[in-house]
Amino acid sequence: MEALISLIGEINGIVWGPAMLALLAGTGLYLTLGLKLTPQRKLLYGFSMLWRGRKSTEEGDISPFNALMTALSATVGTGNIAGVATAVFLGGPGALFWMWVIALVGMATKFCEAVLAVRYREKDALGNHVGGPMYYIKNGLGEKWKWLGVLFAIFGMLAGFGIGNTIQSNSVADALNSSFSIPPLATGIIIAVLVALVLLGGIKRIGEVAGKLVPIMAIFYVGGGLIILIMHADKIPEAFSQIFYYAFNPSAAAGGFAGATVWMAMRFGIARGVFSNEAGLGSAPIAHAAAQTNNPIRQGTVAMLGTFIDTIIICSITGLVIMVTGAWQSGENGAPLSALAFSQGLPGVWGQYIVSIGLAVFAFTTIIGWSFYSEKCTQFLFGERSNLPFRLLWIIAIPLGTLPGIDLNSLWLVADTLNAMMAIPNLIALLLLSPVVFKMTKDYFADPANYLNK
């Protein structure tokens, strides 16, 4: 087992090395320029489409609003709490700057993913709309490229059991045990029961639950963070100064912080940013393919908001709270660092409760969101008959992640590696199909009837 973990560690170093980070950032930048900054320029239009998309009678299974909430349910999770803290711990304050950069270009990536997902989606034997990278590879690039879609589906199916399941239940169990002394296995069983109740209803139930829980949990967590920032308003200018300075200069050791090079700031800022907002991984378009919409571009403008909300808003709140409270110099890492920052920022136990409860709800929604992603990958490989067995395996895996002796570091390593392996086929498809998206976007916004007075 140690030899296997060591091998996976070596693979991880390659797939998340300079070449992958350059591919992710380069693809995002290429798509941003090819779209002539449309995602960034049409941000307010995207929010108007989101508001309008709360209800829809167009073709699809769930409303455009619930499609985004489903994508966000899987996206907003431990990466926003533990991932940001890890980026700052390993890369210093400058890592936040590179998280913002990858998020801004990632908006174009997420836009293109959703456009292609709706453009090339199919109806399965059960009458549900299915789509995502495996479908836009097969239908957009042709049967000769189907093997690439198969690779994506294999990696997506397996990755879900790590990043979207056992890691999440382990994180919740640990947080609730430390804050409320709840036995980890009890947490795992309760989560499994709640997830089972949601999964019985399929994508429509998942969309409904996500549509209610995601806005509530985001407001709860962001609200707590904003209170801390208001209380420490005098330290915000210094925090931004450090973020921008250390993005281009090595950060010296301070307190319990070991220091970091500029490359470490770039590497961990980009890697943790992608891990959090999933732009380029190809997961979110699986949810957007189910949206009730007749126009791929409209759903693309809704989808790109996921990256903005996840990283520019929620991750920034976490990072700034860690900075203004001085917790980044404590020597803590991961979720404990975020918990320490919130505890120092708010009096009493309120800060710790915000992180613990926020982490629990974030992780629960990630589990139900990723269940859909991995199920559709499994269905692509084995057909509709695999749906029920997959759901049973998914539910059983949840409490397994809370058992004593689980090596969380190894789980993170495997999941992180599989995420990168998902990204490679998806990024290839995005680059090859980009002319299709560029033309569709240009035609859509060239006709005022498509977007004015709506």
Side-chain angles (χ1 to χ4, degrees), residues 71 74-75 110 113 273-284 370 373:
T75 304
K110 194 71 72 79
E113 287 177 329
V274 171
F275 177 81
S276 178
N277 62 49
E278 298 180 12
L281 296 191
S283 50
W370 262 95
Y373 294 164

Side-chain angles (χ1 to χ4, degrees), residues 80 84 88 93 96 100 221 225-226 228-229 232 235-244 311-328 341-342:
N80 299 81
V84 175
V88 174
L96 292 173
W100 294 335
Y221 183 78
L226 287 175
I228 295 175
L229 294 180
H232 296 76
K235 296 182 180 178
I236 292 178
E238 181 186 357
F240 274 104
S241 175
Q242 290 177 319
I243 290 168
F244 287 109
T311 307
I312 303 298
I313 297 178
I314 301 178
C315 285
S316 294
I317 293 291
T318 302
L320 287 172
V321 167
I322 290 172
M323 291 293 299
V324 300
T325 58
W328 69 283
F342 273 77

Side-chain angles (χ1 to χ4, degrees), residues 340-387:
L340 175 64
F342 273 77
S343 296
Q344 290 180 344
L346 288 176
V349 295
W350 289 106
Q352 181 182 354
Y353 285 172
I354 284 176
V355 172
S356 297
I357 295 172
L359 188 61
V361 180
F362 284 178
F364 172 73
T365 57
T366 297
I367 291 172
I368 63 173
W370 262 95
S371 72
F372 181 68
Y373 294 164
S374 291
E375 178 183 305
K376 293 303 114 180
C377 287
T378 306
Q379 180 180 320
F380 181 81
L381 296 169
F382 304 109
E384 290 82 359
R385 66 183 183 278
S386 66
N387 288 352

Side-chain angles (χ1 to χ4, degrees), residues 137-161:
I137 288 173
K138 183 187 75 168
N139 298 330
L141 296 178
E143 284 291 328
K144 65 179 181 180
W145 288 91
K146 186 178 178 181
W147 62 272
L148 196 64
V150 170
L151 282 180
F152 174 88
I154 292 172
F155 297 139
M157 175 182 66
L158 296 175
F161 283 94

Side-chain angles (χ1 to χ4, degrees), residues 405-438:
I406 292 292
D407 186 354
L408 188 59
N409 289 332
S410 296
L411 280 178
W412 272 106
L413 181 65
V414 173
D416 210 28
T417 304
L418 287 169
N419 279 160
M421 301 295 277
M422 287 172 63
I424 295 171
N426 182 52
L427 292 172
I428 292 172
L430 287 177
L431 290 171
L432 293 176
L433 291 170
S434 59
V436 176
V437 182
F438 296 163

